[in-house]
Amino acid sequence: MLLPFGGAGMNSTMDDINLIQQAQRHRLVVRQLGEEIDLEIGPGDDDPSFGNSTLIGGPPREPSSEEPDDTKQMVMVSQIPSDDQDMSRTQPAKRKKKVVKRWREEWADTYKWAYVDVKEGTPRIFCSVCREYGRKHRRNPYGNEGSRNMQMSALEEHNNSLLHKEALRLQMASKDKIAADKPVYVKALMSKTAGSIVEAALKRDPHELEFIQSVQEAVHALERVIAKNAHYVNIMERLLEPERTIIFRVPWTDDRGETHVNRGYRVQFNQALGPCRGGIRFHPSMNLGICKFLGFEQTLKNALSPYKLGGAAGGSDFDPKGKSDNEIMSFCQSFMSEVYRYLGPDKDLPSEEMGVGTREMGFLFGQYRRIAGHFQGSFTGPRIFWSGSSLRTEATGYGLVFFAQLVLADMNKELKGLRCAVSGSGKIAMHVLEKLIAYGAVPITVSDSKGYLVDEDGFDYMKISFLRDIKAQQRSLRDYSKTYARSKYYDEAKPWNERCDIAFPCASQNEIEQSDAFSLVNSGCRILVEGSNMPCTPEAVDVLRKANVLIAPAMAAGAGGVVAGELELNHECNLLQWSPEDFESKLQEAMKQIYQRALKAATDFGYQKDNPEALVHGAVISAFLMIAQAMTDQGCV
């Protein structure tokens, strides 16, 4: 007897791996407006094998009175005796008329759960969750073309379908498994020697996808360097293994007295140039691969800065959203109680990162001071309240705009009047908006995890103040459009479709995918200034390079935070006497030095100034050569 389809109540013994593998058969492709799409032909009512195939095994169950009629019908059909089933197989399958329609713009805007892919030579619409298509899965997805209510009814029907619910449940239950099975995008390298470095990293850490991605980008930039000196192969292999990796548990108690446990990380990647500096990130997605990628990027960024420092990164899979001050304090104190022994002004000083602001840094420093028994190891961040004037929090965002200004100056252009698309709505993004307005640019977008906001009139200082109030009250960016009628908020979307001259991705890693890169190119973007570490996927980088979009890498453009942190900790300078103008002047000078170093390293190894890859390659080359010299001088340690 055939087994019935299961709903959310299926037992844990069912074979979910088959569904996950089936769900991964189709890869997301760029959605083409105006492309013809097959709406009906597929694994559904038109495919007789679909209704008789076992998708997920499980014990038979009786249909309950609360289930919809179509669910009962499925269960009853699945329990027909085998003789009847054999007879039904012999009958010719009815083929319904093939319906082909065009993928219209309003449909693309409405159905965020759908995407277009080609199956057996025919473009079809797939579900973004379970990667399936067909009328059994999504009956009449568009309803009446002219009626939005009918469209939303179809969307609701899709979301309530058993197949979709089961795929969503298995996806949530097997997140780690799906992430581990995700294919690694391996770039084609010109040199076998360079390829061997990536191959060794893949063999050692095959599941650390973000780290492997950052290694590939670095090795790609270093191909000409490695080709000139084979000694650098050994240096690179040593560099890619962190000096120290600390993984620990973080128990904490919530306001109801319940105990929770999270996982904490601190990766001290390399200290050849000096004591470590690096951020702490609190985010549910945090894992060892992300921590190592952040530490590796920070190592190169610190080496490129005027201050010779080592690189580190850390954090936890703790989610500070929705937590009270007492809960965050409890977690931060528990986190610091474990990691404090590895910190200090001559060892490692942490700084703010995603999910960690002045509140969290204050709690972390307070516990460090209490346990260590001295005030000496001031973290970069909390000193903003205790040291007089400081632009530590503004430094990274301001530095991005200063760097963009340097790039434009070499093109005989300026920021004034240019449309700028900015992603994110945190500290970096807000300060980018602020400085763009100061230079006469027109920033038009910000975003959060739910969607993005666009204001065609551009933001001004009053609007930025309003945005900050919205974020401080943990409200949605959608509330902005209730006050400013010319603005619009788009759910489950990114700002890269908006017409712009310069893009500032300031949200998180891999926020710009291949389809987003196509959107950026079509939107007129010619310069991309990376505010977040590694914001582009490898496929997106390829698209941008082929379109000659100039990329200002985060390790150069985002070094403003490193500069400001070291200026704060420089005991020779009395910060109390510094004005914001003095601080900005020193920050601008440091960003100019970084820009010139990256450009010089690129030209030294044959990359022309007008090459869109020049800054990316030059930044990596300059940083690596600095670290490699120190590692060579210090021997095998």
Side-chain angles (χ1 to χ4, degrees):
M1 184 176 70
L2 291 175
L3 297 175
F5 280 19
M10 297 182 67
N11 62 34
S12 59
T13 60
M14 64 185 175
D15 187 7
D16 57 352
I17 299 179
N18 291 333
L19 180 58
I20 293 170
Q21 292 175 343
Q22 183 179 0
Q24 293 175 331
R25 288 181 302 174
H26 307 294
R27 297 177 62 88
L28 183 65
V29 300
V30 181
R31 183 158 42 197
Q32 301 287 345
L33 296 180
E35 185 177 9
E36 290 190 351
I37 301 170
D38 189 341
L39 295 185
E40 294 192 356
I41 306 300
D45 292 340
D46 300 314
D47 187 351
S49 65
F50 183 83
N52 297 327
S53 61
T54 304
L55 181 62
I56 306 175
R61 59 178 178 86
E62 294 296 328
S64 66
S65 60
E66 298 178 357
E67 292 177 324
D69 293 340
D70 55 345
T71 307
K72 295 178 184 178
Q73 212 169 7
M74 274 201 300
V75 175
M76 293 173 64
V77 169
S78 66
Q79 295 174 354
I80 295 177
S82 58
D83 292 339
D84 294 340
Q85 290 174 359
D86 293 336
M87 292 178 62
S88 66
R89 289 194 188 99
T90 60
Q91 296 177 356
K94 292 183 178 180
R95 301 290 292 180
K96 293 188 178 182
K97 182 180 178 181
K98 183 176 181 180
V99 179
V100 175
K101 294 189 178 182
R102 289 185 177 274
W103 180 254
R104 290 170 47 177
E105 188 169 4
E106 54 266 37
W107 296 346
D109 193 41
T110 301
Y111 296 102
K112 300 301 182 185
W113 45 264
Y115 67 93
V116 178
D117 202 352
V118 177
K119 178 66 175 177
E120 297 175 355
T122 304
R124 295 191 174 100
I125 303 175
F126 288 82
C127 167
S128 297
V129 176
C130 40
R131 303 295 194 266
E132 281 296 346
Y133 72 97
R135 298 179 71 249
K136 179 69 71 176
H137 174 217
R138 188 174 57 259
R139 294 173 301 178
N140 189 20
Y142 299 111
N144 185 342
E145 294 180 23
S147 169
R148 185 173 178 83
N149 290 335
M150 287 294 291
Q151 291 180 354
M152 297 311 293
S153 298
L155 176 60
E156 184 178 359
E157 181 180 16
H158 162 267
N159 288 339
N160 288 332
S161 68
L162 289 178
L163 180 60
H164 177 88
K165 282 185 174 180
E166 187 59 23
L168 182 62
R169 189 190 70 77
L170 292 177
Q171 185 187 53
M172 296 301 293
S174 309
K175 258 185 176 178
D176 295 338
K177 189 181 302 181
I178 292 176
D181 293 340
K182 180 182 175 182
V184 178
Y185 182 90
V186 180
K187 286 180 175 290
L189 295 170
M190 296 169 57
S191 165
K192 289 185 178 180
T193 307
S196 67
I197 298 174
V198 177
E199 186 179 349
L202 272 167
K203 187 175 181 181
R204 178 175 290 180
D205 304 307
H207 301 302
E208 296 173 359
L209 304 183
E210 292 81 6
F211 177 59
I212 296 297
Q213 182 182 335
S214 64
V215 169
Q216 287 194 83
E217 289 294 333
V219 172
H220 177 65
L222 292 171
E223 277 195 279
R224 295 184 183 181
V225 179
I226 293 171
K228 285 189 175 183
N229 192 339
H231 170 66
Y232 289 140
V233 175
N234 177 260
I235 295 293
M236 192 64 180
E237 289 175 347
R238 285 165 53 195
L239 176 62
L240 294 180
E241 186 63 26
E243 291 185 7
R244 189 172 295 104
T245 302
I246 305 116
I247 305 176
F248 50 95
R249 69 180 181 189
V250 188
W252 59 280
T253 306
D254 64 20
D255 291 341
R256 294 173 296 180
E258 297 180 3
T259 301
H260 303 268
V261 178
N262 286 90
R263 182 172 290 176
Y265 306 91
R266 189 65 179 174
V267 175
Q268 295 174 342
F269 220 94
N270 190 279
Q271 293 177 293
L273 292 176
C276 289
R277 300 288 186 268
I280 293 181
R281 174 181 292 191
F282 292 163
H283 194 271
S285 66
M286 191 66 174
N287 56 40
L288 183 58
I290 292 177
C291 196
K292 287 176 66 175
F293 132 68
L294 292 173
F296 180 57
E297 292 282 323
Q298 192 68 45
T299 298
L300 297 175
K301 184 184 296 184
N302 291 352
L304 190 61
S305 73
Y307 304 94
K308 304 303 176 271
L309 300 165
S316 172
D317 55 3
F318 170 77
D319 187 0
K321 288 185 178 178
K323 304 291 192 304
S324 69
D325 286 352
N326 282 334
E327 289 172 332
I328 291 177
M329 181 176 68
S330 173
F331 176 83
C332 289
Q333 289 177 346
S334 180
F335 182 93
M336 184 53 64
S337 294
E338 178 62 34
V339 80
Y340 82 95
R341 57 179 60 87
Y342 303 103
L343 304 180
D346 297 323
K347 297 179 182 177
D348 181 4
L349 289 185
S351 59
E352 301 172 8
E353 235 269 7
M354 185 188 299
V356 177
T358 52
R359 175 184 57 175
E360 289 79 9
M361 290 301 293
F363 291 148
L364 290 167
F365 177 74
Q367 183 71 355
Y368 173 84
R369 179 187 59 78
R370 178 185 181 188
I371 298 174
H374 56 76
F375 203 89
Q376 192 177 6
S378 300
F379 301 167
T380 56
R383 289 176 63 93
I384 184 173
F385 294 119
W386 313 322
S387 300
S389 86
S390 169
L391 290 178
R392 170 66 182 89
T393 54
E394 291 91 337
T396 303
Y398 284 9
L400 291 172
V401 180
F402 294 154
F403 200 90
Q405 198 177 27
L406 292 167
V407 172
L408 287 168
D410 272 351
M411 300 178 178
N412 295 319
K413 296 180 181 179
E414 57 181 12
L415 275 168
K416 188 175 182 179
L418 297 184
R419 285 170 61 93
C420 301
V422 181
S423 68
S425 52
K427 296 184 294 293
I428 296 176
M430 287 300 167
H431 293 127
V432 166
L433 295 181
E434 190 178 299
K435 190 52 66 175
L436 284 173
I437 293 170
Y439 282 107
V442 185
I444 57 169
T445 66
V446 288
S447 68
D448 57 17
S449 58
K450 302 295 177 58
Y452 80 92
L453 173 73
V454 58
D455 189 332
E456 286 297 332
D457 294 331
F459 298 108
D460 56 29
Y461 292 118
M462 187 178 295
K463 292 177 179 180
I464 291 176
S465 178
F466 183 51
L467 284 172
R468 284 198 172 104
D469 290 341
I470 290 175
K471 297 300 293 183
Q473 297 167 19
Q474 297 184 347
R475 291 154 56 197
S476 170
L477 290 175
R478 185 190 305 277
D479 294 343
Y480 178 94
S481 57
K482 297 176 183 177
T483 304
Y484 295 96
R486 286 265 297 165
S487 65
K488 189 171 182 181
Y489 184 83
Y490 293 92
D491 286 305
E492 303 298 329
K494 300 175 185 178
W496 313 125
N497 286 313
E498 301 296 331
R499 183 174 63 83
C500 65
D501 301 299
I502 306 178
F504 291 85
C506 302
S508 64
Q509 73 271 3
N510 289 333
E511 60 177 294
I512 298 178
E513 299 176 343
Q514 188 180 46
S515 57
D516 303 317
F518 280 119
S519 298
L520 274 171
V521 173
N522 294 333
S523 300
C525 177
R526 290 297 170 260
I527 300 175
L528 186 138
V529 184
E530 297 182 348
S532 54
N533 288 310
M534 201 171 69
C536 302
T537 64
E539 298 90 339
V541 171
D542 288 343
V543 171
L544 296 173
R545 283 172 177 163
K546 289 175 183 177
N548 287 326
V549 175
L550 191 148
I551 300 176
M555 71 177 63
V562 179
V563 174
E566 287 310 299
L567 288 175
E568 284 186 346
L569 296 173
N570 189 343
H571 298 293
E572 297 177 3
C573 299
N574 185 357
L575 294 177
L576 292 172
Q577 297 176 358
W578 280 16
S579 66
E581 292 76 16
D582 292 336
F583 198 98
E584 282 196 34
S585 176
K586 291 184 178 294
L587 181 59
Q588 281 181 303
E589 182 60 33
M591 298 308 295
K592 185 176 181 180
Q593 291 180 30
I594 292 170
Y595 176 75
Q596 290 174 344
R597 284 187 58 191
L599 214 54
K600 182 178 183 303
T603 54
D604 287 347
F605 282 87
Y607 296 101
Q608 298 300 319
K609 192 175 182 178
D610 56 350
N611 188 325
E613 298 180 289
L615 284 173
V616 177
H617 292 340
V620 176
I621 291 170
S622 179
F624 174 75
L625 291 178
M626 186 68 65
I627 297 170
Q629 185 61 53
M631 292 178 68
T632 303
D633 294 343
Q634 295 171 23
C636 185
V637 294

